[in-house]
Amino acid sequence: MSDGLYIAAASSWLPERLTLDEAEQAGLADRARVWNTGIESACVSPDKSAPEMAVLAARDALGRAEVGPEDLQLLLHACAYHQGHDMWPAASYVQRFCGGGSYPAVEVRQMSNGGMIALELAAGHLRAYGGSTALVTTADRFSLPGFDRWRSDPSTICGDGGTAVVVSTRTGFARLRGLVTVSDPGLEHGSRGERFSDAPLAARAPIDLNSDSLVRELGVEALLNRIEAGQRAAFERACAQADVKLGDIDWYVLPNLGRTRMRAQYFDPFGIDPQRSTWSWGRRVGHLGAGDQFAGLAHLVSEGALEPGQTCLLAGVGAGFTWTAGILEIIARP
């Protein structure tokens, strides 16, 4: 699919972690509501905004890739939540503080699958326009009064952080061999709420994602089957592009969801061994909005876990619904 497309660098900037014990002692979390997620801690930014964290991750990634602003043809910034200001282009902020430039800088909003979709858009842009390098960043900061990281989504605990990957047509430590997105817009109303509002947070604050409208409409089994079908289609098409079998993948970088969702959406239906995934790390940082996949890849890089010849699958899912699967072949030590 993507001969000549590489990941030249992957980085993340994550703030300090707040443990469940600490959150409970501070009156922020209710253990009875959180324990079944299996989340032990979440990264919490006390001061840095989402775009500021994106800049920190991006600068590190550009340095690792030995890329300057003059080398870039595109910047895509993906996010799921508020970026610190209303009616303001966060992507342009990231571009400015990463050295500036006249290339396009665009924000991508596809909820938790935003980073992966931005990766696919960046790959398409480079192939279509003959560019050599693109920067993809993500960042989210989940804070009150708009979002309660411990309560807004009862099966997932959200963490803060910024991530970045440098996509290149020249060289990198990983070759992008497969990349596919699948959509099912018939499920978009699952997180929409009952009515449209006139202003941010006017309908519900903090945000409550504990909607059972899809369960009432489809039933639990039918809903889970539909979610599995979307992810399976993305997996199968990406594996076909890469000419690999899903069970032969060496590393699975999965969304940092709660344990129940991980079992229902990944471990059980696809036979994925949690020990070959980023779950043990993800349960200590929380769900990073649009950035789980790039942060997970950066974690494997920092741990020295990636060896030449290995394959690594990046899996994304976001409300809407969209599912993306990307398959990397490790060709050099990062």
Side-chain angles (χ1 to χ4, degrees), residues 135-219:
L135 173 65
V136 181
T137 64
T138 80
D140 278 297
R141 181 182 182 226
F142 298 96
S143 56
L144 290 167
F147 196 97
D148 186 336
R149 76 178 72 249
W150 303 100
R151 294 182 174 89
S152 283
D153 188 340
S155 58
T156 300
I157 307 303
C158 291
D160 305 335
T163 77
V165 293
V166 176
V167 187
S168 173
T169 61
R170 295 173 177 170
T171 186
F173 70 88
R175 178 183 290 112
L176 187 58
R177 289 184 51 185
L179 186 58
V180 171
T181 294
V182 173
S183 297
D184 185 350
L187 301 178
E188 63 80 20
H189 56 296
S191 58
R192 182 186 346 129
E194 296 182 0
R195 64 182 180 86
F196 288 92
S197 62
D198 298 325
L201 302 174
R204 46 182 181 169
I207 292 171
D208 182 5
L209 298 179
N210 189 23
S211 172
D212 60 355
S213 61
L214 290 178
V215 174
R216 292 196 304 269
E217 176 185 336
L218 302 174

Side-chain angles (χ1 to χ4, degrees), residues 22 81 92 163 168 209 216 221 235 243 289 319:
E22 292 168 337
Y81 187 55
S92 295
T163 77
S168 173
L209 298 179
R216 292 196 304 269
E221 183 176 0
F235 281 169
D243 192 24

Side-chain angles (χ1 to χ4, degrees), residues 14-300:
L14 305 179
E16 293 294 321
R17 300 169 184 174
L18 183 70
T19 67
L20 175 56
D21 288 341
E22 292 168 337
E24 186 177 41
Q25 291 170 9
L28 299 173
D30 180 357
R31 182 175 294 275
R33 294 169 58 102
V34 176
W35 72 270
N36 66 317
T37 67
I39 301 297
E40 299 174 354
S41 57
C43 293
V44 177
S45 172
D47 48 13
K48 281 186 170 53
S49 69
E52 288 174 312
M53 292 187 284
V55 168
L56 293 170
R59 288 174 175 172
D60 185 64
L62 292 171
R64 291 173 183 269
E66 299 182 343
V67 166
E70 69 279 1
D71 301 312
L72 294 174
Q73 282 81 49
L74 177 71
L75 184 152
L76 296 178
H77 176 67
C79 52
Y81 187 55
H82 183 60
Q83 295 293 287
H85 295 281
D86 298 317
M87 297 187 69
W88 171 73
S92 295
Y93 176 94
V94 177
Q95 181 183 34
R96 177 188 177 191
F97 288 97
C98 285
S102 59
Y103 55 88
V106 182
E107 187 172 305
V108 176
R109 287 265 181 169
Q110 199 57 43
M111 304 310 294
S112 299
N113 201 26
M116 289 300 293
I117 286 189
L119 177 62
E120 187 168 9
L121 293 174
H125 182 94
L126 292 178
R127 299 168 96 196
Y129 293 97
S132 63
T133 315
L135 173 65
V136 181
T137 64
T138 80
D140 278 297
R141 181 182 182 226
F142 298 96
S143 56
L144 290 167
F147 196 97
D148 186 336
R149 76 178 72 249
W150 303 100
R151 294 182 174 89
S152 283
D153 188 340
S155 58
T156 300
I157 307 303
C158 291
D160 305 335
T163 77
V165 293
V166 176
V167 187
S168 173
T169 61
R170 295 173 177 170
T171 186
F173 70 88
R175 178 183 290 112
L176 187 58
R177 289 184 51 185
L179 186 58
V180 171
T181 294
V182 173
S183 297
D184 185 350
L187 301 178
E188 63 80 20
H189 56 296
S191 58
R192 182 186 346 129
E194 296 182 0
R195 64 182 180 86
F196 288 92
S197 62
D198 298 325
L201 302 174
R204 46 182 181 169
I207 292 171
D208 182 5
L209 298 179
N210 189 23
S211 172
D212 60 355
S213 61
L214 290 178
V215 174
R216 292 196 304 269
E217 176 185 336
L218 302 174
V220 174
E221 183 176 0
L223 175 59
L224 290 177
N225 288 341
R226 202 151 156 181
I227 291 173
E228 179 184 331
Q231 190 69 79
R232 186 176 298 278
F235 281 169
E236 289 179 349
R237 288 169 55 188
C239 285
Q241 286 184 354
D243 192 24
V244 299
K245 294 181 180 179
L246 184 63
D248 294 335
I249 298 291
D250 295 291
W251 287 103
Y252 301 87
V253 180
L254 305 175
N256 301 336
L257 307 178
R259 179 167 47 201
T260 302
R261 282 185 176 174
M262 296 299 292
R263 287 174 175 167
Q265 296 183 31
Y266 295 103
F267 299 150
D268 292 347
F270 299 107
I272 294 175
D273 181 356
Q275 298 301 314
R276 292 166 61 193
S277 79
T278 48
W279 162 241
S280 62
W281 163 83
R283 67 189 301 185
R284 293 182 282 117
V285 301
H287 175 48
L288 302 172
D292 287 345
Q293 295 74 26
F294 301 160
L297 180 61
H299 166 71
L300 293 179

